[in-house]
Amino acid sequence: MNLNLQKWQNSSKVLFFIAPLMIPLIIFWLVPFGWSAYISFTDWDYISPDYYFVGLENYQYMLEDGDFIQAMQNTFIFALGVVIPTVMIGLVFALLLHNNFKGSQFYRAVIFSPWITPTVAISIVWSWVFESKSGLVNLLLDKVGIAPIPWLESGDTAMFAVMVVTVWQAVGWTMLFYISALNKIPTSLYEASLIDGCSPWTRFYKITLPLISPTTFFLVIVNMITAIQAFDQFQILTQGGPSGSTRTLLYLFYQQAFEQYDMGPAAATSLIILLITGALTIANTVMGKRWVYY
């Protein structure tokens, strides 16, 4: 009996200390999540107090809706087009700047500065850069005899332009994580490889990449989740156009909820985004058990 009483007292102490953290979590995350899941099974229009329970009709509609299929494809294309270049370019900059030399701190600050700049401000500046008639990119292309390109007005180039903006912003943050990982690699390993006559490529492939694989794993997951949840740059640069070529799932959710007032399909879309994010994270975790060295 005393043992059970002691366990109850210990559990009560744990609950007492975690309650200040759990209460906001329940109020501002679990309850809204549960309510959103319920709305996804209704036809609520966001304005009327009356609505009807429609079951899986919203999910069935999504699977048959061309806009949803296009948005899902755009989301995966955008995520791959952002994550891979961000990780690769961030690693290149880290390899160049992880050793302290004159000016290295300045270069790091310059490359990192876009990350601490609001995405809205960055997107506004890049909208001027990609402007069709007098934008900086087309002015430079004109200097070399290439005709102006409607970067944000063409379905062939709009997604690429948004990818460039997103990668440019995220590279500095990725670089700093890689610099920290590279500086933790024991120099004795490189010294031993020099004695063995290993080439620079062999040292990079056999020593550097395996030892920074936990950081790579972390950066891939975080950048992927960030890419799936990207919104500001699409809102400022393309508004999901032209013709839906840059409409991602999150932007589709915004249009369904706050432009069309179809809260049922919008809530269903938000749950699909959550499931995709979770599935990709689990897949990366399973892959990480094989390819990541701790």
Side-chain angles (χ1 to χ4, degrees), residues 8-272:
W8 182 85
Q9 290 176 343
N10 291 336
S11 300
S12 301
K13 291 179 181 178
V14 172
L15 291 175
F16 175 78
F17 284 110
I18 67 173
L21 300 177
M22 291 299 297
I23 292 175
L25 179 66
I26 294 172
I27 295 175
F28 297 109
W29 196 89
L30 292 179
V31 172
F33 173 77
W35 182 244
S36 178
Y38 173 74
I39 291 175
S40 70
F41 297 105
T42 70
D43 63 351
W44 187 39
D45 62 2
Y46 193 66
I47 298 175
S48 173
D50 299 323
Y51 57 86
Y52 297 96
F53 188 83
V54 296
L56 296 175
E57 184 177 317
N58 290 325
Y59 294 92
Q60 182 180 359
Y61 169 77
M62 283 193 306
L63 296 178
E64 300 172 354
D65 182 30
D67 289 341
F68 177 81
I69 301 300
Q70 182 189 33
M72 180 174 288
Q73 292 174 346
N74 290 338
T75 301
F76 283 111
I77 291 172
F78 178 75
L80 290 175
V82 167
V83 172
I84 295 175
T86 298
V87 172
M88 293 180 65
I89 297 173
L91 177 58
V92 170
F93 280 131
L95 292 171
L96 294 174
L97 299 175
H98 78 280
N99 291 320
N100 289 322
F101 57 88
K102 187 176 181 180
S104 63
Q105 297 295 331
F106 171 76
Y107 295 130
R108 293 180 189 178
V110 169
I111 297 172
F112 178 72
S113 59
W115 177 255
I116 60 176
T117 306
T119 305
V120 172
I122 287 176
S123 300
I124 292 174
V125 172
W126 276 94
S127 68
W128 301 335
V129 173
F130 284 122
E131 208 275 327
S132 299
K133 296 181 179 179
S134 57
L136 177 61
V137 174
N138 281 337
L139 289 177
L140 295 176
L141 292 177
D142 183 63
K143 296 293 184 181
V144 296
I146 300 177
I149 298 174
W151 293 101
L152 301 177
E153 293 81 18
S154 172
D156 297 329
T157 56
M159 181 63 80
F160 174 77
V162 180
M163 288 178 184
V164 170
V165 176
T166 308
V167 171
W168 180 78
Q169 183 182 23
V171 159
W173 178 79
T174 303
M175 174 196 67
L176 289 186
F177 274 90
Y178 271 131
I179 287 176
S180 176
L182 290 170
N183 288 333
K184 293 178 181 179
I185 298 177
T187 56
S188 59
L189 296 177
Y190 292 112
E191 293 171 353
S193 67
L194 288 173
I195 295 174
D196 292 337
C198 295
S199 65
W201 169 250
T202 301
R203 291 197 298 272
F204 174 75
Y205 183 73
K206 295 294 186 180
I207 298 176
T208 304
L209 280 183
L211 292 180
I212 64 172
S213 58
T215 300
T216 301
F217 173 68
F218 167 78
L219 290 173
V220 167
I221 291 180
V222 173
N223 280 306
M224 180 178 59
I225 294 174
T226 303
I228 292 175
Q229 297 177 348
F231 176 81
D232 293 344
Q233 53 268 58
F234 290 103
Q235 174 67 11
I236 300 298
L237 293 172
T238 65
Q239 293 81 50
S243 302
S245 60
T246 60
R247 184 194 292 121
T248 59
L249 285 176
L250 188 62
Y251 201 84
L252 176 64
F253 160 78
Y254 166 77
Q255 291 180 322
Q256 290 173 328
F258 304 109
E259 292 182 2
Q260 303 169 8
Y261 300 107
D262 290 332
M263 289 305 297
T269 301
S270 68
L271 290 180
I272 293 297

